[in-house]
Amino acid sequence: MTTPDLSRCRLAIHGGAGVIDRASLTPAREAEFRAALERIAGAAWAKLQAGASALDVVESAVRDLEDFPLFNAGHGAVLNADGVAELDAAIMDGRTRAAGAVAAALTPTHPVSLARAVMEHTEHVLLVGAGADRLAQELGLEQSSPAYFITAERAQQQRRAAASGRVTLDHDSMYNGPDPADKTGTVGAVARDAHGHLAAATSTGGMTNKHPGRVGDTPLIGAGTWAEDQSCAVSATGHGEFFMRSALAHDVHARMVYGQAGLDAACAGALGRVAELGGTGGLIAIGRDGEIALSFNSEGMYRAWVGDDGVLRVAIYNAD
Ligand code: ASP
C-alpha cells in the first residue's frame, strides 16, 4: 500500500462533445452549464482531497451528472426511435482492471451505480436490457419509471430527429436544429486518487432517435471507457459507432504502453483514427503520472478539471 499523498490527486469530468458554438448557446444556458460543471467537479474534488478512492469519486461525479437534466445521461437522457430512454454506462477500476457495464437499461436511476454493481456483485462485465434492470431490482438499487428519464426538451428533440429521418449525436445542431437544449451530451469522469490509482466512468442515453436496442461505445470496455494504473484513465464522448470501430479508449492505453507515447500524443493518435472514419467527438484522460488530456475534434466539449496546480477550471468551447 502506498502512502497517501494528496498532491497525486487529479480530476476531469465531461458533459459531451459536439457542435457547441457560442452563437447557439444563450448566455443564460451557458451559465447554467458552467455552474453545473463547476459544482459537480468541485464536489468530486473535495471528495478526492478528503481521501476518497478514484473509483468512488468517478461514480459519484457521474451520478451528479446523471441527475442534471441538460446532460444526456440518467434523467434527461436522449430518446430512441420509440421515444424511450435506453441507458448505457460503464465504470473501470485502474488498480485491478475490474470493470462493469450496463446497456439498454430502462430503470436504473443512476446507471453508473448499476454498472458498478455488475462489477462488484456479479461474475460478469456487461448486462443488457431486462437483465440489467433485474439486477437493479435484486440488489435494491434505486429504480425509476421510464417517464422519469424523459424531459419535454428530449421528447421534442427526438420528434425533430425522427421527422428528418436522422440518428443524431446529441450536440450536433446541424441535425438537431438550433434549440440550445440540443447542445448537451454524454457524461464521464476520470480521477487519480492520493494513492495514484486511476478510475474512469461514462454514462449516456446514446444517440437521439437511435434504433431500439442500439448500444454505443460508452458501455463497451475499451471503446468508450478504460482505466489501468500503468497507463491512463479515459472517458470518451462522440459518435459511438466510430469509437467502437477504433477501440478508442484502449487505443490510448496501448499507444502509451506498447508505443511509449505520452498521454497527449496517445490521445491525438487515437482520436485521429476516429476522424479517419469520419467520426467526431472527444475524450478526457488522466495519465499515470498525473497529466491531463482534454481532446476533441468537434467544435466544443463540456469539461471541468483540476490539474497539478489544484485549480478547478471549466471550459466549453475550443478556446475556453
Ligand atoms: N458516445 C455516445 C454514444 O454513441 C454518444 C455521445 O457521446 O454523445 O452512445
Side-chain angles (χ1 to χ4, degrees):
M1 182 95 166
T2 51
T3 315
D5 173 356
L6 291 177
S7 74
R8 292 197 184 102
C9 296
R10 302 286 187 279
L11 175 76
I13 65 172
H14 72 79
V19 180
I20 308 163
D21 51 32
R22 286 180 202 271
S24 51
L25 209 52
T26 64
R29 226 349 117 82
E30 179 181 329
E32 218 179 328
F33 279 121
R34 287 188 188 272
L37 288 165
E38 190 168 338
R39 172 177 58 77
I40 293 167
W45 181 247
K47 286 184 179 133
L48 270 181
Q49 289 291 299
S53 69
L55 190 67
D56 284 345
V57 168
V58 295
E59 182 193 1
S60 76
V62 169
R63 284 174 65 97
D64 288 347
L65 290 159
E66 288 171 342
D67 285 340
F68 184 65
L70 298 181
F71 289 130
N72 170 17
H75 176 56
V78 301
L79 306 179
N80 71 11
D82 290 342
V84 173
E86 287 183 318
L87 309 162
D88 297 346
I91 190 164
M92 187 162 182
D93 184 350
R95 201 168 49 93
T96 57
R97 264 199 291 151
V102 293
L106 298 181
T107 65
T109 308
H110 293 106
V112 71
S113 294
L114 183 55
R116 183 165 178 177
V118 172
M119 175 174 96
E120 292 181 341
H121 299 290
T122 78
E123 296 169 51
H124 312 302
V125 168
L126 173 61
L127 289 186
V128 305
D133 291 325
R134 197 163 105 191
L135 183 72
Q137 192 177 9
E138 286 164 1
L139 296 176
L141 264 59
E142 193 184 347
Q143 291 178 282
S144 296
S145 72
Y148 160 80
F149 299 98
I150 301 175
T151 64
E153 287 170 329
R154 292 307 193 192
Q156 193 188 41
Q157 180 188 33
Q158 189 273 330
R159 281 194 296 272
R160 209 165 42 233
S164 66
R166 305 302 297 255
V167 177
T168 61
L169 185 61
D170 187 25
H171 289 306
D172 287 356
S173 54
M174 183 167 49
Y175 300 139
N176 286 345
D179 185 339
D182 293 344
K183 320 282 177 308
T184 61
T186 290
V187 306
V190 290
R192 183 175 187 250
D193 62 27
H195 290 279
H197 295 312
L198 296 171
T202 316
S203 181
T204 189
M207 309 268 294
T208 303
N209 201 37
K210 66 187 181 183
H211 195 287
R214 179 267 187 184
V215 173
D217 59 309
T218 297
L220 301 185
I221 299 301
T225 307
W226 186 267
E228 186 165 351
D229 280 2
Q230 65 158 322
S231 57
C232 57
V234 178
S235 171
T237 169
H239 197 141
E241 278 68 10
F242 299 103
F243 284 66
M244 289 188 261
R245 291 166 59 204
S246 306
L248 180 279
H250 185 268
D251 192 18
V252 175
H253 154 84
R255 285 167 189 269
M256 293 182 77
V257 174
Y258 310 130
Q260 312 298 321
L263 184 71
D264 278 339
C267 291
L271 262 186
R273 274 172 57 80
V274 171
E276 263 167 36
L277 300 176
T280 57
L283 62 87
I284 56 171
I286 297 178
R288 64 184 158 231
D289 298 322
E291 61 278 39
I292 294 185
L294 310 148
S295 318
F296 49 97
N297 64 10
S298 50
E299 310 268 316
M301 181 170 75
Y302 291 99
R303 57 204 187 278
W305 68 100
V306 186
D308 56 4
D309 59 3
V311 177
L312 196 167
R313 293 187 169 81
V314 174
I316 297 176
Y317 312 111
N318 213 325
D320 163 80

